[in-house]
Amino acid sequence: QMLQKVRLCRIFVFVSILLACCKGQDSIQGYLISSRNNDPIAGQISLDSQQIAVGSNGSFNFPVSNGSIHLIQGSSSGYTSLQRNLYVTNRAFQTNITIPLVPIMPLADDLPDLTVILTWNSPPNDLDLHIYTPWNCTTSFDAKTCKKGATSVILTRDETNGFGPEITSISSSGDMSCGLYMIWVYIYSSDGSYKDANATVQLFSSGNFYTAPGLLHAVTVPSTSNIFETWWNPMNLTFTSQSNLQVDVSKGGDVYENPFYPINPDNSCQSDASVMLHVLSISVLALLIVT
């Protein structure tokens, strides 16, 4: 009986050592880039409580444990910071990610007015960012540019190997085309679902449209999402005039089997003066109610 106990103890120790070896060490490595042109930039990367300086080649590396969860954040002078949750899977020794930062200063003429960034965990390997425009054109991996008049919507980065980012810019060299811009995300690969994707869409502004420069909104798909649905509508943007932007995130928790688009949407433009008068009247009414 004693010999049997000794054998059981040895087996237990062996299994414990084997599990510890299998758990092993992983690493997070990647690049800090500018969302403007995908070029590497210098800055800082923090992983939980660790922080390192990133050189001009943009590269960074952190040792981590397999199966761990982290908060990673990138920052650089003249750019808005970006942070995201990151799950390190047991599938690979190295987790490669790219952290895109949106330039906000100086506000050069060629900076996008708005930047939409999609990030996620892997699996699934491939999520696609789509933006439906008021003139019935939709950007995607196979149709990267929608343009009408002075307004351009361009998918500037397409990622197919997990984590993202996918980046779309919305810009206008003159008057912005009014109407509804619907942001959609689609699971292109068949190796995962929204339940595990932790997909996040972030909207950044350069400072136009009566908005402060930097992050305007961030929406993460719920982990309770239906595993059979492949489309997600995190937010919608509406330009009621050439310079007035409204953001609707009320549907950000919903996923769908298929995307839907409005029938005969109101894409008419109000004048900036009427928009400002409307905002002023609401402010006065709120003041009267408070007093």
Side-chain angles (χ1 to χ4, degrees), residues 23 25-27 64-69 86-95 121-123 163 196:
K23 184 175 179 62
Q25 283 287 305
D26 204 338
S27 67
V64 294
S65 298
N66 290 337
S68 53
I69 302 175
L86 185 68
Y87 299 117
V88 181
T89 68
N90 294 310
R91 298 191 314 163
F93 179 71
Q94 292 177 333
T95 297
N121 288 299
S122 182
F163 300 103
D196 303 312

Side-chain angles (χ1 to χ4, degrees), residues 6 8-9 15 23 28 38 40 50 55 96 114 134 146 149 154 189 242 246 250 264 277-278:
V6 171
L8 289 174
C9 287
V15 171
K23 184 175 179 62
I28 294 175
N38 295 317
Q50 307 174 68
N96 297 288
L114 297 171
C146 287
I154 304 173
S189 58
Q242 282 90 2
Q246 297 177 357
S250 61
N264 299 322
L277 182 61
H278 178 67

Side-chain angles (χ1 to χ4, degrees), residues 2 6 20 24 28 43 45 55 58 107 133 135 152 154 160 182 187 195 206 214 217 224 232 248 267 270 275 281 285:
M2 180 62 70
V6 171
I28 294 175
I45 289 286
L107 295 179
T133 68
W135 56 95
S152 298
I154 304 173
T160 61
M182 298 187 74
I187 299 182
K195 182 177 176 60
S206 64
H217 290 279
T224 55
W232 173 44
D248 179 11
N267 294 329
Q270 305 175 37
V275 171
S281 63
L285 180 59

